[in-house]
Amino acid sequence: MDADELIETFEFLGDWEERYRYLIELGRELPPLAPEAHVDANKVRGCMSQVWLTHTVQPGPPVTLEFQGDSDAHIVKGLIALLFKLLSGKTPQQILETDVNGVFERLGLESHISMNRRNGFYAMVERIRHMAADPAFAAR
């Protein structure tokens, strides 16, 4: 799903109660994260909730990244799923070029989730960008 499709879906839903339900449903649809991935190395710092993110590299060409994640909070799990819809399956370069912050604002989330969740969301974005910026991908 690209950014425009996601924004269109949010606009179609109308009020924020429906949008929160949609986010929670997205989170419920996330594949379970393997228990062995719930380790400190995969934990995202800066989140009030427990959040774990990891990735696998899909050989190309082109090389793409697939993300996996989990959280102990329903809305946060939905935000993870939203990020994965935007970024999973893309090349590292595409991930780095995606204006996630702009999409976040266009979805209206900037003003409809708490500051702590917003900070956590941006911490997840930075973690994903860090994964995509791995110098090993430059050689491929």
Side-chain angles (χ1 to χ4, degrees):
M1 180 177 280
D2 70 13
D4 290 332
E5 290 174 305
L6 200 51
I7 291 163
E8 189 176 304
T9 299
F10 260 66
E11 288 172 351
F12 176 76
L13 291 172
D15 72 15
W16 273 94
E17 190 172 316
E18 287 182 56
R19 292 175 187 191
Y20 288 130
R21 277 198 299 272
Y22 177 67
L23 270 178
I24 291 168
E25 188 57 38
L26 286 178
R28 285 189 181 125
E29 293 171 1
L30 273 180
L33 185 65
E36 60 271 14
H38 287 89
V39 295
D40 204 46
N42 294 333
K43 212 169 200 187
V44 177
R45 307 288 176 240
C47 294
M48 296 273 304
S49 305
Q50 301 270 358
V51 176
W52 299 269
L53 292 179
T54 187
H55 71 286
T56 54
V57 177
Q58 303 300 314
V63 170
T64 59
L65 301 180
E66 294 287 336
F67 297 102
Q68 301 83 39
D70 194 15
S71 176
D72 60 353
H74 295 296
I75 293 282
V76 175
K77 202 167 179 173
L79 291 172
I80 293 169
L82 184 131
L83 275 175
F84 292 176
K85 285 192 173 296
L86 287 173
L87 302 174
S88 205
K90 292 191 174 183
T91 67
Q93 188 63 39
Q94 289 171 322
I95 292 166
L96 294 171
E97 290 172 355
T98 300
D99 180 13
V100 177
N101 297 0
V103 173
F104 189 75
E105 288 178 23
R106 288 178 59 200
L107 290 172
L109 290 167
E110 183 70 32
S111 58
H112 285 91
I113 64 171
S114 71
M115 182 175 290
N116 288 334
R117 283 204 177 116
R118 199 166 40 242
N119 291 340
F121 179 83
Y122 291 129
M124 290 186 279
V125 171
E126 284 309 307
R127 176 68 174 265
I128 289 172
R129 287 184 185 279
H130 180 74
M131 292 174 188
D134 186 327
F137 298 128
R140 296 183 186 192

